[in-house]
Amino acid sequence: MPYTFKLEALRQFREFEEERVQREFSEAQRICDAAAAMLAEQIVLRDKTEIDFAVQQESGTASQCAMYRGFLQRLAEEIELLRQRLRVAERDCEKKRQALLTAVKNRKTLDRLKEKDEQAYRQKQDQDEGKFIDEMAINRFQLKRG
């Protein structure tokens, strides 16, 4: 009789749940990475614009300088907004990571239980087989004697 784990349906559910949470974590990680990349791009743009503005202040008109100041102000606001988005994305990513760790732990617990149960089943099978062999040997001995 082949081995069957009594809690196999629960183990499979936990495995499915772990895969779902893994996908959610991957998506949260992707969003976090995208937010960090957007923030980095805006910071590079701000730095380049500040250099251009410094050059323009020496030789440009007042209206050009005002235009640069307005653009730099808008970039500063965007950068702050992107920083906030990145913090939210990082918190969400951390929550998903914790959920993934919990899901992995739950599945591994059932995997260990299955291994122990299967090992006990195999030992019982070996014991039963040993008893059967002993009985056959006793019967054979009695038939020869009798």
Side-chain angles (χ1 to χ4, degrees):
M1 179 167 87
Y3 170 75
T4 55
F5 183 51
K6 295 173 191 148
L7 300 174
E8 184 62 27
L10 178 61
R11 194 193 69 73
Q12 287 178 350
F13 172 76
R14 290 221 176 134
E15 190 173 38
F16 172 78
E17 192 68 14
E18 178 186 345
E19 291 170 4
R20 182 188 62 78
V21 173
Q22 173 65 46
R23 285 190 302 273
E24 288 177 0
F25 173 69
S26 295
E27 179 64 17
Q29 185 69 46
R30 187 192 62 74
I31 289 169
C32 192
D33 291 346
M38 285 176 58
L39 177 61
E41 285 175 18
Q42 291 294 20
I43 289 173
V44 167
L45 178 61
R46 181 200 59 197
D47 293 346
K48 181 184 175 301
T49 304
E50 284 176 345
I51 292 170
D52 292 346
F53 177 55
V55 170
Q56 198 61 255
Q57 276 182 321
E58 295 173 7
S59 63
T61 64
S63 64
Q64 288 175 330
C65 289
M67 192 172 65
Y68 271 101
R69 274 192 220 105
F71 184 64
L72 285 170
Q73 179 63 35
R74 198 186 90 212
L75 277 176
E77 291 168 0
E78 267 186 56
I79 288 171
E80 185 55 36
L81 180 65
L82 288 171
R83 282 188 176 133
Q84 290 173 1
R85 286 182 185 166
L86 180 59
R87 284 191 292 272
V88 168
E90 286 172 341
R91 279 193 299 266
D92 185 50
C93 193
E94 181 59 25
K95 286 179 188 176
K96 301 289 184 186
R97 189 181 75 76
Q98 291 298 325
L100 178 60
L101 289 175
T102 301
V104 167
K105 192 184 302 181
N106 289 339
R107 181 198 43 87
K108 283 187 175 186
T109 299
L110 277 175
D111 284 347
R112 283 190 297 276
L113 183 61
K114 180 180 179 179
E115 288 173 16
K116 287 180 181 179
D117 192 46
E118 188 171 7
Q119 186 178 19
Y121 175 80
R122 300 282 178 232
Q123 286 177 344
K124 176 80 167 102
Q125 289 288 93
D126 291 346
Q127 286 176 353
D128 290 348
E129 188 177 313
K131 286 179 186 177
F132 179 73
I133 290 171
D134 289 346
E135 278 184 38
M136 294 296 289
I138 290 170
N139 287 340
R140 186 175 286 157
F141 176 74
Q142 287 179 349
L143 284 174
K144 284 183 181 179
R145 221 177 106 201

